[in-house]
Amino acid sequence: MHTFAAINVITGAVTNRISGSRVGTRRKDGLSKTKRMQVAFAHHLLDIARAYPADEYPEVVIVIDNAPWHRGRPVDWALRRYPHLTLYRLPPYSPQLQPVERLWRPLRGRTTHNLLFDEMTELQDSLRLGLTYHRARPQAVLKLLGSLWNPTTSAEA
């Protein structure tokens, strides 16, 4: 199971995609794991582009690490299709600079710790519920990020 997520560091909104990891898929479709992950990440970029359309958000900067699936033809295709998306690559070995990393531990604690799943669909459902929980609580997500932004206070106050 692979989970892609992006956090809007201003609003706390979470955009995510869950992609199943299929054992033996390579033998069926001829694609490597990296190629399948590149396609899944490109679809995640399309999800982000739909959540942040170019007419409302002229530039959307997505902070990423140097994982091999964050580059390649499928990713290039998605970026050409939505030129308002910009990828900002972090230096190697710097996960502490990646905002979304602060979401993974509470998400795993809520969805997978001390749980045994008999079926992959149960794990998938648990992940969806955990992500739904965080999507419904943008202020809690902002707290995870250490953000001081609060939509209830105005700039004049």
Side-chain angles (χ1 to χ4, degrees):
M1 197 64 41
H2 303 286
T3 304
F4 295 93
I7 298 174
N8 182 323
V9 297
I10 307 275
T11 65
V14 177
T15 305
N16 66 277
R17 171 172 286 269
I18 296 174
S19 176
S21 173
R22 295 174 186 91
V23 176
T25 302
R26 183 172 189 208
R27 287 185 290 260
K28 294 176 187 171
D29 65 11
L31 298 177
S32 67
K33 175 186 173 186
T34 299
K35 186 59 75 177
R36 283 192 307 275
M37 294 287 287
Q38 287 172 338
V39 170
F41 181 66
H43 284 287
H44 178 55
L45 291 174
L46 300 182
D47 294 341
I48 294 171
R50 281 190 289 275
Y52 300 96
D55 56 341
E56 291 178 53
Y57 303 91
E59 184 176 24
V60 176
V61 178
I62 304 161
V63 178
I64 59 171
D65 59 19
N66 289 294
W69 49 84
H70 289 156
R71 60 178 44 98
R73 281 193 196 136
V75 175
D76 294 341
W77 172 84
L79 293 174
R80 276 193 309 275
R81 185 167 177 197
Y82 296 101
H84 71 293
L85 299 181
T86 302
L87 299 182
Y88 178 82
R89 295 185 191 281
L90 291 173
Y93 309 108
S94 57
Q96 72 280 6
L97 299 176
Q98 175 59 285
V100 77
E101 292 293 335
R102 295 179 187 102
L103 176 67
W104 297 134
R105 180 173 285 183
L107 177 66
R108 284 192 313 266
R110 176 168 289 284
T111 61
T112 63
H113 287 191
N114 296 320
L115 296 172
L116 175 65
F117 301 100
D118 291 327
E119 300 290 330
M120 188 62 78
T121 55
E122 293 173 3
L123 171 60
Q124 204 168 23
D125 291 343
S126 183
L127 281 170
R128 280 196 182 100
L129 282 172
L131 287 161
T132 299
Y133 172 86
H134 289 290
R135 277 196 315 268
R137 292 162 181 81
Q139 287 300 317
V141 172
L142 289 173
K143 271 189 173 178
L144 290 173
L145 300 180
S147 175
L148 300 176
W149 183 79
N150 183 349
T152 60
T153 60
S154 68
E156 295 85 36

